[in-house]
Amino acid sequence: MAAITRLQLFQSSAVVKPSVILANFSYSSSTFFNPKLYGNRKLSISPPLCSKSDQISLESSSTPGTSPSIVGDLLDYLNESWTQFHATAEAKRQLIAAGFHLLNENDEWDLKPGGRYFFTRNMSCLVAFAIGEKYSVGNGFHVIAAHTDSPCLKLKPKSASSKSGYLMVNVQTYGAGLWHTWFDRDLSVAGRVIVRGNDGSFLHKLVKVKRPLLRVPTLAIHLDRTVSKDGFKPNLETHLIPLLATKLEDATTESKEKSNASSSKAAHHPLLVQVLSDELNCGIDDIASIELNICDTQPSCLGGGNNEFIFSGRLDNLASSYCALRALVDSCEVPGDLSSEHAIRMVALFDNEEVGSGSIQGAGAPTMFQAMRRIVDCLAHQYVGEGAFERSIRQSFLVSADMAHGVHPNFTDKHEEHHRPELQKGLVIKHNANQRYATSGVTSFLFKEVAKIHNLPTQEFVVRNDMGCGSTIGPILASGVGIRTVDCGIAQLSMHSVREICGKEDVDIAYKHFKAFYQSFSSIDRKLNVD
């Protein structure tokens, strides 16, 4: 869900062992998904299911002809993707493994019908597309767009501070998080680091410290007797500061801090920089710049009495991102999948949605539309007709996929009486007469027709008239060049908490709906003429 104007909220999660990822690639193939491993399964063990590898010990309950579940793969993606950088890097790895060709925005593109391509921007934004073999100039794009960022805490440029004998890490809030949920959690850091190479070059590396490193402790009730009556209302500047360590008052530490006083790393505790250098296997002096998020180290997992829920940080909106990515990959995994396609299938994953999308890597930038124009121009060859790109946009369709508000059993009055989406009941189509969502009667009908043909459930959501409505990247993209758009999302609870919850079945339904959209929208769209 969107940021600045919303009252809804969220963020982070994790796994358990150190890892470093180069942005230009260095992933282990051990986490590559294998969709053949999964069906609908029942747990035969008591520990929580935290990754797809755990599903090997599950008893399959899928029936012949049903699609395999992607839930285990989503858990792996969530556990890998502590930050928007890691989410983009993991998407990049999976696209390359699936045979997509990596493009560079700085180079000339050579594209062909039947080809599959992608590029990244800032390692936090990604656009991937597959060109139908029957594409002709002026045909449209079928796009699913989502975002890679989530509300979280981020290190300030000068994060080092100390209070009452503790080393503290100063942070700033990113997005509209439920910040009280960040207290008393086992936290760590992840993000990107610029490292000096031996040849004088600079390397862009991703880093995760998977052990608990930080904690924001709550105040004991004995020292705040009114908290149960008045509520927990922390000051976000003075109370939301994580502890790193106890301050060591010895000569060695003092001399080390003094020696670093004139360097750029004096902005951060030498201890923290040392932890980063150990993870990156580089010298302290080689670290030139850091951009780090605070992350929860608890893994994403299945939960509930029947393991029907997903408990995780960053479901908003990595669940949508992964379902869209996987749907694109699987809709064109064999050569014949694009043989009868006239359109171009596309996924666009943006950063900074939680703070309004106004950045070079956000949906407010013309990234996707510039890519569309380049694709049309590249495929036009000697075509000299009028308005190829504009005609292409008019035939295009965008699905803005962002998590939705499931009805809370303890707060049912917060939902409009006849629009209370439930978990496990399918994608939620979002409506707002004041255009906080981009759905129209036409776009809603077309998207629901995809579901109807494939026997997939859908739900509807409108906000109460006496409550404010959030927004998404849908209206931003729809108004950018005038592309038909529908806003939808998977129903969830605890939005913007450090730990969120959604239904396991809804993930598979969303994946099937998105895949069906790519495979059948062209034929459905031809049956309706509005103008």
Side-chain angles (χ1 to χ4, degrees):
M1 293 292 291
I4 288 201
T5 57
R6 314 191 283 220
L7 301 175
Q8 314 102 326
L9 322 164
F10 159 71
Q11 211 254 337
S12 185
S13 153
V15 226
V16 185
K17 88 188 174 195
S19 116
V20 176
I21 306 162
L22 273 85
N24 63 356
F25 240 62
S26 68
Y27 269 99
S28 163
S29 62
S30 62
T31 57
F32 178 58
F33 60 77
N34 180 359
K36 308 303 181 188
L37 290 177
Y38 309 103
N40 297 318
R41 302 177 187 266
K42 294 180 180 178
L43 272 182
S44 58
I45 51 177
S46 55
L49 179 62
C50 296
S51 72
K52 77 177 190 328
S53 59
D54 295 332
Q55 287 192 337
I56 295 173
S57 62
L58 304 183
E59 178 186 357
S60 175
S61 62
S62 61
T63 57
T66 60
S67 300
S69 172
I70 69 163
V71 169
D73 298 318
L74 171 63
L75 292 174
D76 280 347
Y77 183 72
L78 291 166
N79 283 324
E80 187 60 54
S81 304
W82 284 21
T83 71
Q84 68 275 36
F85 308 120
H86 291 83
T88 304
E90 175 60 12
K92 173 182 177 179
R93 185 192 68 77
Q94 294 193 14
L95 286 167
I96 289 177
F100 280 67
H101 177 70
L102 176 61
L103 301 172
N104 189 315
E105 285 191 281
N106 298 328
D107 300 334
E108 287 191 17
W109 293 354
D110 181 17
L111 310 177
K112 295 178 175 59
R116 298 174 295 166
Y117 310 90
F118 78 99
F119 66 87
T120 66
R121 178 180 287 190
N122 189 52
M123 196 46 66
S124 63
C125 169
L126 179 147
V127 175
F129 55 96
I131 305 170
E133 292 184 20
K134 292 191 175 180
Y135 172 84
S136 60
V137 177
N139 287 358
F141 292 80
H142 299 160
V143 190
I144 303 176
H147 64 90
T148 59
D149 62 317
S150 304
C152 65
L153 303 176
K154 292 178 178 284
L155 265 65
K156 290 182 177 179
K158 295 182 179 181
S159 71
S161 68
S162 59
K163 293 181 181 180
S164 303
Y166 294 100
L167 299 183
M168 314 287 287
V169 178
N170 290 326
V171 296
Q172 52 185 330
T173 56
Y174 174 84
L178 284 173
W179 303 120
H180 66 273
T181 65
W182 286 74
F183 284 74
D184 294 336
R185 303 291 302 185
D186 295 344
L187 306 174
S188 192
V189 294
R192 64 177 171 190
V193 179
I194 306 300
V195 178
R196 293 184 180 87
N198 295 330
D199 59 355
S201 62
F202 295 97
L203 304 176
H204 177 265
K205 293 188 176 184
L206 304 189
V207 63
K208 286 189 290 189
V209 181
K210 294 189 178 180
R211 67 180 177 91
L213 190 68
L214 303 166
R215 195 172 178 95
V216 185
T218 49
L219 183 65
I221 193 170
H222 313 78
L223 305 177
D224 187 8
R225 291 291 186 179
T226 63
V227 67
S228 297
K229 177 170 59 95
D230 298 337
F232 182 45
K233 301 173 183 178
N235 182 292
L236 300 184
E237 178 64 23
T238 59
H239 298 156
L240 194 61
I241 306 175
L243 306 180
L244 173 65
T246 51
K247 188 174 182 180
L248 300 177
E249 299 292 353
D250 59 41
T252 304
T253 303
E254 288 183 15
S255 62
K256 185 183 290 187
E257 290 184 351
K258 288 180 181 178
S259 67
N260 282 285
S262 61
S263 72
S264 61
K265 289 179 292 299
H268 307 286
H269 287 300
L271 176 59
L272 177 60
V273 179
Q274 181 65 59
V275 170
L276 295 175
S277 69
D278 291 342
E279 291 288 329
L280 293 162
N281 195 26
C282 70
I284 290 178
D285 293 334
D286 294 330
I287 297 177
S289 178
I290 66 174
E291 184 176 351
L292 300 178
N293 295 1
I294 304 296
C295 303
D296 184 12
T297 59
Q298 184 176 358
S300 304
C301 63
L302 292 186
N306 298 308
N307 287 295
E308 67 267 52
F309 301 125
I310 297 176
F311 297 157
S312 175
R314 305 178 307 283
L315 288 174
D316 177 16
N317 191 33
L318 292 185
S320 303
S321 296
Y322 184 74
C323 289
L325 179 76
R326 182 65 176 270
L328 176 65
V329 169
D330 290 356
S331 73
C332 54
E333 62 181 341
V334 297
D337 285 340
L338 296 172
S339 60
S340 60
E341 179 60 80
H342 294 262
I344 297 173
R345 302 171 183 175
M346 177 178 281
V347 160
L349 307 180
F350 297 100
D351 193 3
N352 299 135
E353 188 272 350
E354 297 294 353
V355 292
S357 298
S359 68
I360 188 175
Q361 58 273 356
T367 311
M368 187 179 80
F369 300 119
Q370 287 175 346
M372 288 177 167
R373 185 179 291 277
R374 292 185 68 176
I375 293 167
V376 171
D377 290 347
C378 189
L379 296 172
H381 301 298
Q382 302 303 314
Y383 177 81
V384 292
E386 180 270 337
F389 173 70
E390 288 74 14
R391 289 191 294 113
S392 179
I393 291 296
R394 291 299 302 134
Q395 296 194 67
S396 297
F397 194 94
L398 171 72
V399 177
S400 169
D402 205 347
M403 302 298 279
H405 296 292
V407 61
H408 194 303
N410 299 330
F411 300 91
T412 56
D413 60 329
K414 294 296 184 181
H415 274 72
E416 198 277 334
E417 181 181 2
H418 303 292
H419 298 84
R420 293 175 172 171
E422 299 178 34
L423 272 59
Q424 319 287 18
K425 295 295 181 66
L427 276 176
V428 180
I429 298 176
K430 307 175 187 179
H431 304 261
N432 185 263
N434 296 305
Q435 299 301 299
R436 300 300 294 162
Y437 302 128
T439 305
S440 70
V442 171
T443 61
S444 174
F445 164 76
L446 290 170
F447 195 60
K448 286 191 290 187
E449 193 68 12
V450 172
K452 180 180 178 181
I453 291 173
H454 292 84
N455 297 313
L456 297 170
T458 59
Q459 306 181 78
E460 313 274 358
F461 172 79
V462 295
V463 74
R464 289 170 56 106
N465 290 329
D466 55 0
M467 295 178 63
C469 184
S471 190
T472 68
I473 58 177
I476 296 173
L477 295 172
S479 61
V481 290
I483 184 172
R484 293 176 297 169
T485 302
V486 63
D487 267 298
C488 70
I490 297 170
Q492 73 163 103
L493 301 174
S494 303
M495 186 177 286
H496 289 199
S497 170
V498 74
R499 294 287 284 185
E500 300 176 311
I501 176 175
C502 75
K504 181 176 68 174
E505 291 182 21
D506 285 330
V507 169
D508 286 327
I509 293 171
Y511 159 71
K512 293 173 185 176
H513 200 148
F514 292 162
K515 187 177 178 182
F517 165 72
Y518 285 131
Q519 293 174 329
S520 59
F521 186 78
S522 290
S523 60
I524 295 171
D525 195 29
R526 284 196 293 268
K527 298 177 182 178
L528 176 66
N529 183 17
V530 175
D531 296 312

